[in-house]
Every structure is written in C-alpha cells, then in structure tokens.
Amino acid sequence: MEETLRELEQRALQELKECRNPTQLEAWRLRFLGKKGELTAVLRGMARIPENERPRIGQLANEVRDALEAARTSRQQALRREERDRRLAAETLDVTVPGWRIPVGAVHPLTRIIREIEEIFLGMGFEVREGPEVELDYYNFEALNIPKDHPARDMQDTFYITEEILMRTHTSPMQARTLEMTYPSVPVKIIVPGRVYRRDEDDATHSHSFVQVEGLMVDRGVRMSDLKGVLTVFAKGMFGEDRQIRLRPSYFPFTEPSAEVDVSCPLCDGAGCRLCKGTGWIEILGAGMVHPYVLEKAGYDADEVSGFAFGLGVERTAMLKYGIDDIRHFYMNDLHFLRQFRRAL
Ligand code: FA5
C-alpha cells in the first residue's frame, strides 16, 4: 500500500510537468485527486490492511494528497505567469514608431472670408440675415426699380426658371424683402451673405456663380459720408491700415447716387500689374444711397428716412486679401490650393 502511494505520487508529479494549459491541469486533477481519481481508489483499499497499520498509511495518504495539491497550485501559478508573459510580449508597444497622420480638413477660404466680413460688420452693429437663392423676379428686379424691358436688366444676365422665378443675380433683393418686413421701424442695419448666379463667361475675375455680401443701413439722416465711413472701417479691418480705397461714380437703378469701390492692388501696391490689369486698383463692391423708389415700395417715406446699401464680391475680397490671381481656384477643389488654408479656422 505504502509503495503504491509512493509510486502514485511520483507518477502524478511526473505527469504534472507535462500539463501545458488549464484544461490539461484540470484533467490531471480529476485523474489523481478527483472523487473517482486514483488516490481515492487506493484509499478504498484501506479496509484490507491490518488495523494497526491504518493510521500510518492514512497519514501517508494525506501527505501525498497535500503534496499533490501543493504541486498543482504551484504548476497553476507557473502556467498563469507564462500566459501573462506571452500576452505582454504580444502586446509590446514601440512608442518610437511614427503615428498615423489623421487627415484634417480646413475651412474653405471663402467661408473664412465670409466669417471675417461678418465679424467686422457685427462690430459696427449690423445683424446677419439670409435670403433665398431662388428668387422672384419682383424682388430681384422690379422692387429695385428695374422694370421688365429696362435696359439695366442687361447688366446682369439671368438664369430664369419661369418667367417670374429666377436664380438671384445679386443679394440686393434682400434690401426689398427686409424693408418690406421691417416697415415702419428704423434703424435697419443688416448684412446678407449669399450665393448669386449670372450667365457670365468664366474667366480669371468672373464666375457664373459667386458670393456677395449685401449691406443695408436705413435710418433718419443717413448720408453718403456714413457709407464711406463704414466701408473704410471694413477695408482697413479686412486688408490692413495701409490699404487705400476709392469711390468712383457709377450707376445702379436702386441707388442714387451710386458708386463703385476699388481697393489698391495688394500685389503691386498701386503701380499696376496683371492682377489689377495695370490700373493699380481692384473693384470689390457696388454701393450707393438707397433710391427713394425702393424705400417707398416698402412703405417708408423717403423724406423721413434715408439709407445706404452696398454689394460686396466675396471672391474678389479673398483674392485681394490672399493675393490669389484666378477666381477659378476657389471652385477647382485642388487640394494643393485648399491645403494652404489648413491652419485657418
Ligand atoms: C451688384 O450686384 C449690385 N447689386 C451691388 C449693389 C448693391 C449696388 C447695393 C448698390 C447697392 P455688381 O454687378 O457690380 O453690383 O456686383 C457687385 C460685386 O460683385 C462686384 O463689385 C464684384 O466684386 C462682384 N462680381 C460681380 N460680377 C462678378 C462675377 N461674375 N464673378 C465674381 N464676382 C463678381
């Protein structure tokens, strides 16, 4: 009996060394230490040994069980350690490996310029409004003193949808819409950024679809000098303190008097170059004092209130600000061009 126990212990310890994973370890436990295991089977034979031998054999059997249990526990711990080391080795992180570059987009230069324009005018107390791109002929032309068959309609070649509905050719219809809505209150001080459409031939400074910002201020006693002051604040805020602006007499049916505003060329500083077509100046906006016809169409009394309005070309502003020599860059989606504005938010 004693020998059987010793032999069992040796064999069990030998086989334990072969166990490589928890499943094999459990099978080993059931085989040697389980209820139906080999040790229990040996102990069942106790009945056959002399009574005086039983305590000694019993103690030996307990020692063998304890030894096997202890060996199993330490084997289990060793296996866990091995498993953990294997996992850690597989998870090794080399912090010196370069990371993946996450592609980050940029705010489009036109969006950036619109935001800057809004900031400058918000600072002077203007509100930002929006209007429809698909517009009624009435607001785009008639309410602005441009009746059907008026020669001024040729100034803006139009995409018509029906005879009465069109793609707006400028943001000025928002002058008429706003005044109609705000009548009879003053002051009115708004700017309206938005896309406009014209059947223009695309070239370096013209696009068939471009962005304007309309400005409108109506109150008692608004004068041309207010217009000049506001536009000077805008030009200096946008292009810097040294940049010159000039007003040239012009004609729009919905302003009287009318003017066009030029900014001195940023590339040649007024000397004349390709961008400014040798003139030293680049036109960025049309403006003037709101025509009494427009005020009265909305209900206002033109003897009581007066106002100024302007329509600014956003692409031209961006071209001036960044020295971009072709308006088509804004619409080509060339990443080399757009990435230059990556850091601009
Ligand atoms: C107008 O559109 C008038 N509504 C402006 C106005 C508003 C006058 C309020 C008086 C009072 P004009 O057609 O000149 O005017 O256009 C205004 C500006 O839009 C121009 O100065 C120019 O900067 C820009 N612009 C005009 N046509 C194009 C085009 N095809 N491509 C890009 N920008 C253009």
Side-chain angles (χ1 to χ4, degrees):
M1 185 93 186
E2 191 178 338
E3 241 167 63
T4 314
L5 281 169
R6 295 259 179 243
E7 184 275 329
L8 182 112
E9 183 181 9
Q10 286 316 306
R11 196 155 43 81
L13 290 175
Q14 194 56 42
E15 286 191 23
L16 185 62
K17 284 186 200 149
E18 319 273 290
C19 291
R20 297 264 165 264
N21 56 47
T23 321
Q24 289 173 355
L25 197 64
E26 180 59 9
W28 177 91
R29 188 186 70 77
L30 291 172
R31 184 158 157 224
F32 292 103
L33 297 169
K35 271 193 196 136
K36 293 179 185 161
E38 289 196 25
L39 187 63
T40 318
V42 174
L43 292 178
R44 276 208 200 94
M46 285 280 262
R48 289 198 299 274
I49 59 171
E51 211 161 315
N52 61 344
E53 290 257 326
R54 281 183 199 164
R56 199 172 57 80
I57 297 296
Q59 195 187 348
L60 181 64
N62 281 340
E63 280 168 19
V64 169
R65 164 174 282 121
D66 290 348
L68 292 185
E69 281 289 2
R72 190 183 75 89
T73 308
S74 80
R75 181 75 190 137
Q76 191 175 40
Q77 281 166 355
L79 282 178
R80 279 190 191 145
R81 253 192 323 272
E82 272 173 30
E83 168 61 20
R84 196 197 53 205
D85 290 349
R86 240 195 324 274
R87 213 177 49 232
L88 286 180
E91 275 176 9
T92 301
L93 183 68
D94 180 355
V95 292
T96 64
V97 172
W100 297 101
R101 204 194 190 102
I102 298 171
V104 177
V107 173
H108 192 277
L110 290 180
T111 309
R112 188 182 177 199
I113 287 285
I114 293 171
R115 288 184 188 168
E116 278 187 40
I117 295 171
E118 287 177 356
E119 280 302 312
I120 295 173
F121 283 99
L122 284 170
M124 288 190 275
F126 285 75
E127 279 177 40
V128 181
R129 294 274 172 86
E130 279 186 12
E133 289 178 17
V134 177
E135 184 54 281
L136 294 174
D137 182 280
Y138 175 79
Y139 289 111
N140 198 82
F141 291 126
E142 296 208 11
L144 296 175
N145 198 22
I146 317 175
K148 291 223 162 69
D149 303 324
H150 190 285
R153 290 215 176 193
D154 294 344
M155 289 167 79
Q156 300 176 358
D157 221 344
T158 311
F159 290 111
Y160 279 94
I161 294 171
T162 68
E163 223 167 272
E164 294 304 325
I165 302 173
L166 44 77
M167 301 306 292
R168 67 177 171 193
T169 55
H170 51 174
T171 42
S172 298
M174 276 303 282
Q175 288 183 38
R177 280 180 178 274
T178 308
L179 290 175
E180 208 177 78
M181 264 162 43
T182 50
Y183 173 78
S185 51
V186 282
V188 178
K189 269 179 101 177
I190 55 150
I191 57 162
V192 186
R195 185 160 286 284
V196 303
Y197 303 84
R198 287 185 198 178
R199 290 172 53 179
D200 275 352
E201 286 291 326
D202 290 355
D203 64 23
T205 50
H206 292 82
S207 173
H208 62 280
S209 160
F210 59 99
V211 184
Q212 286 189 336
V213 174
E214 192 77 7
L216 174 69
M217 174 169 171
V218 174
D219 202 348
R220 278 174 238 283
V222 175
R223 296 180 306 181
M224 191 86 176
S225 52
D226 297 313
L227 171 64
K228 195 171 179 194
V230 164
L231 291 178
T232 305
V233 170
F234 161 72
K236 293 204 183 297
M238 179 57 72
F239 303 114
E241 285 296 318
D242 324 324
R243 200 60 67 79
Q244 308 275 311
I245 68 163
R246 72 172 186 192
L247 271 70
R248 268 183 299 112
S250 184
Y251 168 73
F252 297 102
F254 37 95
T255 46
E256 180 58 34
S258 303
E260 274 174 320
V261 175
D262 301 335
V263 176
S264 58
C265 179
L267 286 195
C268 60
D269 211 12
C273 68
R274 193 178 85 88
L275 183 62
C276 59
K277 301 197 174 83
T279 64
W281 298 90
I282 295 176
E283 175 209 315
I284 55 159
L285 62 87
M289 299 306 289
V290 180
H291 198 290
Y293 177 91
V294 177
L295 292 170
E296 281 171 3
K297 207 67 184 155
Y300 285 92
D301 181 348
D303 291 329
E304 285 274 309
V305 299
S306 55
F308 66 72
F310 60 85
L312 169 74
V314 171
E315 285 82 352
R316 300 261 177 97
T317 308
M319 288 167 80
L320 273 166
K321 172 125 179 166
Y322 300 126
I324 295 165
D325 62 359
D326 197 316
I327 196 169
R328 287 166 290 204
H329 282 305
F330 294 115
Y331 299 108
M332 303 283 272
N333 286 332
D334 176 352
L335 289 179
H336 294 105
F337 172 74
L338 294 172
R339 280 193 182 126
Q340 299 175 85
F341 301 90
R342 192 183 261 156
R343 245 161 278 134
L345 286 173

